[in-house]
Amino acid sequence: MVCLGNICRSPLAQGILESKVDSAKVMVDSAGTAGYHIGNKPDHRSIAVGKKNGLDISKQRCRKFESGDFDQFDQIYAMDKDNFTNVMALARTDEDRNKVKLLLAEIDLGIQEVPDPYYGGDDGFDYIYSLIDKACDGIVAKLHLR
Ligand code: 4NP
């Protein structure tokens, strides 16, 4: 799960998908394309909306996406088109490029991007939670993860 800062959207996406799969079979992680917040906890608003929905994402720590992630993961989901472009720029082969998708391409909600909630209000976090939750249900069904 990849966003820009790895403190708002992708930590929630990691926590949500982790909650829906068997951790013995599926490794879920998140990263940001920017390095502004490396080592930090998720944004307090993401921690709060997670908690409200029964998830504890407070133990996650921010890291930056790197090309070696293509060797570790089979699927790479970008929250928006900028993240998608930035991840694609680090891909080395067609195999790498084929792993990268927009998260919301996994479902048909009529929107393509999880909007960046960083500069908005708390209600933006409820909204992105619901988008990501639906997309993760789509991933679990499509990849038969449960
Ligand atoms: P995220 O949100 O990409 O969902 O983690 C952002 C977090 C931090 C910044 C931008 C977006 N920032 O500019 O620091």
Side-chain angles (χ1 to χ4, degrees):
M1 297 299 190
V2 182
C3 63
L4 174 63
N6 190 214
I7 56 168
C8 296
R9 292 165 290 178
S10 58
L12 273 177
Q14 177 185 338
I16 291 169
L17 188 58
E18 275 174 346
S19 76
K20 296 178 189 290
V21 301
D22 178 350
S23 64
K25 294 184 189 151
V26 184
M27 177 171 65
V28 185
D29 198 8
S30 65
T33 58
Y36 317 130
H37 302 281
I38 290 172
N40 292 355
K41 288 184 181 188
D43 187 283
H44 65 94
R45 296 164 295 178
S46 282
I47 292 176
V49 78
K51 196 169 173 189
K52 197 160 97 177
N53 289 278
L55 295 180
D56 179 7
I57 64 164
S58 67
K59 310 267 180 330
Q60 293 183 32
R61 294 296 177 269
C62 172
R63 71 178 184 91
K64 193 171 180 196
F65 185 86
E66 54 194 21
S67 53
D69 284 315
F70 288 107
D71 301 323
Q72 299 294 320
F73 297 95
D74 299 315
Q75 309 286 336
I76 296 167
Y77 297 106
M79 299 297 131
D80 67 31
K81 291 176 186 172
D82 285 342
N83 312 145
F84 182 92
T85 302
N86 291 329
V87 168
M88 282 297 231
L90 293 171
R92 303 150 302 181
T93 61
D94 283 346
E95 190 186 351
D96 288 354
R97 280 181 279 277
N98 287 335
K99 294 180 175 183
V100 189
K101 283 141 199 139
L102 276 175
L103 179 69
L104 295 189
E106 296 303 306
I107 45 168
D108 189 8
L109 290 179
I111 54 170
Q112 292 182 292
E113 302 182 286
V114 181
D116 183 345
Y118 188 61
Y119 293 106
D122 288 351
D123 59 344
F125 286 74
D126 288 312
Y127 177 59
I128 64 161
Y129 189 96
S130 73
L131 291 178
I132 295 168
D133 190 53
K134 290 187 183 93
C136 289
D137 284 339
I139 290 169
V140 168
K142 182 174 164 184
L143 300 181
H144 308 290
L145 298 182
R146 197 165 37 198

